[in-house]
Amino acid sequence: MLLLGPSGAGKSTLLLTLAGLMPRVVHAHRDGNVRARGAPGIVFQDADAQICMPTVEEDVAFGLENDGVPSAAMPERVDAALRAVGLAERRATRADRLSGGQRQRLALAG
């Protein structure tokens, strides 16, 4: 899906809201309600800006650590996220060795 509009129209705000990050993580004034099923992911224009760890597996685990997921639950959650985006076989790969599309999928997994 593509969300298109001029600069300042609220595209990022809408996506952050749908992903449940606003106002939980990104604090901003809001008015109204949004209901979404599932847990949508966001890949911004520069997926590389969303990747911060050296390997695919570590990058996904980093997001889970920030969400307070217990260490014992991480291997299963990392594996599930990587399988969901088709990167399970690349778990030990350095993130900077992925193609652009693979980086976008890693950003979603994270």
Side-chain angles (χ1 to χ4, degrees), residues 80-104:
L82 292 176
R83 278 187 282 114
V85 299
L87 289 176
E89 311 80 37
R90 307 296 304 261
R91 67 183 324 114
T93 303
R94 288 187 49 85
D96 61 359
R97 304 249 194 254
L98 297 175
S99 70
Q102 289 170 325
R103 288 183 187 142
Q104 289 176 328

Side-chain angles (χ1 to χ4, degrees), residues 6-88:
S7 180
K11 301 176 300 290
S12 295
T13 301
L14 174 63
L15 292 174
L16 289 168
T17 302
L18 290 173
L21 297 174
M22 187 172 286
R24 186 174 57 91
V25 177
V26 178
H27 302 287
H29 173 74
R30 65 183 163 96
D31 187 22
N33 296 307
V34 174
R35 292 189 183 128
R37 292 190 311 179
I42 298 175
V43 177
F44 289 104
Q45 289 176 343
D46 182 7
D48 290 335
Q50 294 177 249
I51 299 170
C52 59
M53 299 302 285
T55 68
V56 168
E57 183 174 41
E58 290 171 321
D59 196 73
V60 176
F62 180 74
L64 295 172
E65 288 173 357
N66 285 327
D67 282 343
V69 173
S71 297
M74 285 218 199
E76 184 179 328
R77 298 273 302 267
V78 168
D79 188 56
L82 292 176
R83 278 187 282 114
V85 299
L87 289 176

